[in-house]
Amino acid sequence: TQLLEQSPQFLSIQEGENLTVYCNSSSVFSSLQWYRQEPGEGPVLLVTVVTGGEVKKLKRLTFQFGDARKDSSLHITAAQPGDTGLYLCAGEFNDYKLSFGAGTTVTVRA
Amino acid sequence: NAGVTQTPKFRILKIGQSMTLQCTQDMNHNYMYWYRQDPGMGLKLIYYSVGAGITDKGEVPNGYNVSRSTTEDFPLRLELAAPSQTSVYFCASSYSSGMRGYTFGSGTRLTVV
């Protein structure tokens, strides 16, 4: 089992502030995905990054993939209460199965 | 467009009882997965299937069984339920590569008492 470490575990910020969530592994990913999960629902895919150094933007969310493909970050600019949720990173290691991090619970206060 | 459908949504079992968690998908995905999610532990893979008639163990298979008789359905069977199986169970499906992302169901919350 490949280990993915996410940090921080919890994050509580005021509306309008920025936040960053990190995902790290000692192994190289074939691809890395970020999901968001709301209470009582399954995770929903936000983005997939494949190439080392890749940066993808999804409105106020920016995703970076490390040059060595062992780490990734999710940055939210001007967070809104609708961004509240559990953010999960998931790494694919040379096969089709994903290994998930433990998640970061983000709370954005109005 | 239903995606991945799981039933039931909630269930309480007594120790030693058995049950089947149902999962069906309508996207013609070959690959299907069962995960369990415990607080602060992320998602752990129980079983997976790469196509009808083919199943394999994941990270935490003990106490569970699966079958895949059709592309659409991938039920998870719990035999002799134990308190350690109290969890939220998610079924997911994908195309041949995980790179295109998984589609998850909305989960089954199981409590064993």
Side-chain angles (χ1 to χ4, degrees):
Chain A
T1 302
Q2 307 292 349
L3 184 64
L4 279 78
E5 295 185 355
Q6 274 189 249
S7 62
Q9 187 176 2
F10 299 97
L11 200 52
S12 180
I13 61 171
Q14 201 71 30
E15 181 177 5
E17 294 181 336
N18 302 333
L19 69 95
T20 303
V21 177
Y22 300 93
C23 179
N24 296 282
S25 174
S26 58
S27 301
V28 176
F29 304 113
S30 299
S31 68
L32 188 132
Q33 299 168 14
W34 285 92
Y35 291 79
R36 189 174 89 181
Q37 184 179 17
E38 298 189 14
E41 298 296 329
V44 176
L45 179 69
L46 295 173
V47 76
T48 300
V49 286
V50 177
T51 305
E54 185 175 3
V55 177
K56 282 192 174 180
K57 293 192 175 184
L58 185 65
K59 296 183 180 178
R60 293 174 296 98
L61 279 62
T62 301
F63 304 87
Q64 286 191 298
F65 201 15
D67 290 341
R69 289 165 40 218
K70 292 184 178 181
D71 60 275
S72 181
S73 65
L74 157 61
H75 182 79
I76 301 179
T77 303
Q80 299 177 0
D83 295 324
T84 293
L86 176 67
Y87 289 82
L88 295 158
C89 68
E92 182 182 18
F93 297 94
N94 296 321
D95 62 21
Y96 43 82
K97 300 190 297 293
L98 294 178
S99 293
F100 283 82
T104 296
T105 299
V106 172
T107 302
V108 182
R109 305 184 305 273
Chain B
N1 192 4
V4 177
T5 302
Q6 289 184 241
T7 56
K9 185 77 171 175
F10 303 95
R11 184 72 185 268
I12 298 175
L13 279 183
K14 293 185 178 179
I15 294 172
Q17 287 185 322
S18 301
M19 76 163 294
T20 298
L21 282 66
Q22 302 292 344
C23 175
T24 187
Q25 53 95 8
D26 63 358
M27 298 169 287
N28 203 33
H29 286 169
N30 283 326
Y31 289 38
M32 296 187 74
Y33 315 84
W34 275 105
Y35 284 87
R36 59 176 288 172
Q37 185 176 37
D38 301 299
M41 300 295 291
L43 289 151
K44 302 295 184 185
L45 182 64
I46 305 171
Y47 269 95
Y48 63 97
S49 169
V50 300
I54 306 170
T55 63
D56 208 346
K57 297 178 180 179
E59 186 182 352
V60 290
N62 292 343
Y64 307 95
N65 274 300
V66 293
S67 59
R68 184 94 182 271
S69 57
T70 67
T71 299
E72 293 80 19
D73 300 306
F74 191 40
L76 177 71
R77 178 82 177 163
L78 278 71
E79 305 282 0
L80 299 174
S84 61
Q85 293 178 304
T86 293
S87 188
V88 182
Y89 292 85
F90 288 99
C91 179
S93 69
S94 72
Y95 289 104
S96 58
S97 168
M99 189 181 301
R100 297 177 70 173
Y102 287 6
T103 300
F104 283 86
S106 58
T108 295
R109 181 175 294 275
L110 175 67
T111 302
V112 182
V113 297

